[in-house]
Amino acid sequence: MISVNFRTLGIVVVAALVVVAVAAGGIWAFGRLSFLDSYGSQYDYSVRISADEPVSNVTVLVPLPVSDGSSAVGDAVESREYLLPAGWGYAVAETEYGPMLRLRADEIPADPTYYRSVVENDRLVRWERIPASEYSRNDSDTLRVEHDAIDLSADVRVNQSIDTLAPEGTEPLFEPRENARLVPCDWPSEGDDTRCYDYESMLFVQYDGPATTNVSVSVELRGANSWWVGGWNYNEYVDHVAAYDLPADRQGWVVADGELRTGVGNYPRNPPQ
C-alpha cells in the first residue's frame, strides 16, 4: 500500500511556487532594469535637395520642426561643413510662415571633393581636404564626396519620453500645416495605435538652370523612443514634407505635401516620463 503524506507534499508545492515566483520576479526586475537603463528619446531631422540637371545660385527654404514658436532642432542642425564645397551653407531664417532652414549652394551638382583622414592618438579627429590627384580609391584613409544633392541632418537627444501617440500640441512639428485630415495608413505603418494625416505646407525654391530642370525637396522629422529588452524596441512619430519634380516654372513659395504618422511601433507599460 502506498502512503501519501499530504502535509509534506503541500510544503513541497508551496516551496516550488515560491521558487518560481522569486525567479519570475528576478526576471521581471532584470527586464525592468534593462528597460530603464537603455531607454532613450531622440529627434532626427533630415533634408535632401536634388536636381535632374545642373543648377546654380540655389536658395531653398524648408520647414523646421516648431514647438511653442521656436525650433530646438534648428539650433542643432549639423551639416558637416568641412565636407561641403565652398559656396554651400545654411542658416535659420524667420519667414512669414515661421522659422525655416535656408540652404544655399553655388551649384548642384558640384564637382566632387576629396579628403584624407587625420588621426591623433589612434582616433579620427577630422577629414583634411586634398587635391584630386592625392585621392586613391584603394586607400581607405582617403575619401571622395559626391555633391549631386544637398543633404543636411540634425539629431537632438532629450531626457524625457516623447509623446509619439499624440504629438500635436506637445511635440515639435513642421509649420505651416493647413487642411490637415485623417487618412488611411499605408502598409506597413498601419497598426492599432497608428494614425496618419495629410496636410499642406510651404517651401521656397529659387535657382538658375535650364527650363527643362526638375527639382525635388524633402524634409523629415522623426521623434522616437527606443529601449532594449530581448532586442531593440521603439515607437515613433514621423512628420514629412516634400515637393518632388518641381518644374523650372514653379519657383518661389510653393505648396508642398505633408504627411504625419503617429503611434508607429510598440508601447510599453510605465515608460520613463
Side-chain angles (χ1 to χ4, degrees), residues 143-203:
L143 176 69
R144 173 188 169 115
V145 179
E146 301 288 348
H147 300 294
D148 57 348
I150 298 176
D151 287 292
L152 297 180
S153 63
D155 57 81
V156 176
R157 294 188 64 85
V158 292
N159 58 7
Q160 62 184 22
S161 188
I162 295 172
D163 185 353
T164 63
L165 276 172
E168 300 91 336
T170 60
E171 303 294 344
L173 293 171
F174 290 141
E175 296 287 349
R177 50 197 315 115
E178 300 291 339
N179 302 320
R181 60 192 182 96
L182 183 67
V183 296
C185 294
D186 295 331
W187 185 92
S189 295
E190 187 171 2
D192 291 342
D193 295 312
T194 307
R195 299 290 182 273
C196 297
Y197 306 84
D198 282 350
Y199 64 95
E200 294 176 352
S201 191
M202 301 293 294
L203 52 82

Side-chain angles (χ1 to χ4, degrees), residues 40-75:
S41 301
Q42 181 169 310
Y43 302 104
D44 291 288
Y45 174 76
S46 60
V47 182
R48 182 174 175 82
I49 303 163
S50 61
D52 60 4
E53 296 186 77
V55 294
S56 60
N57 298 324
V58 181
T59 299
V60 177
L61 289 158
V62 295
L64 281 167
V66 174
S67 179
D68 296 327
S70 63
S71 178
V73 172
D75 296 336

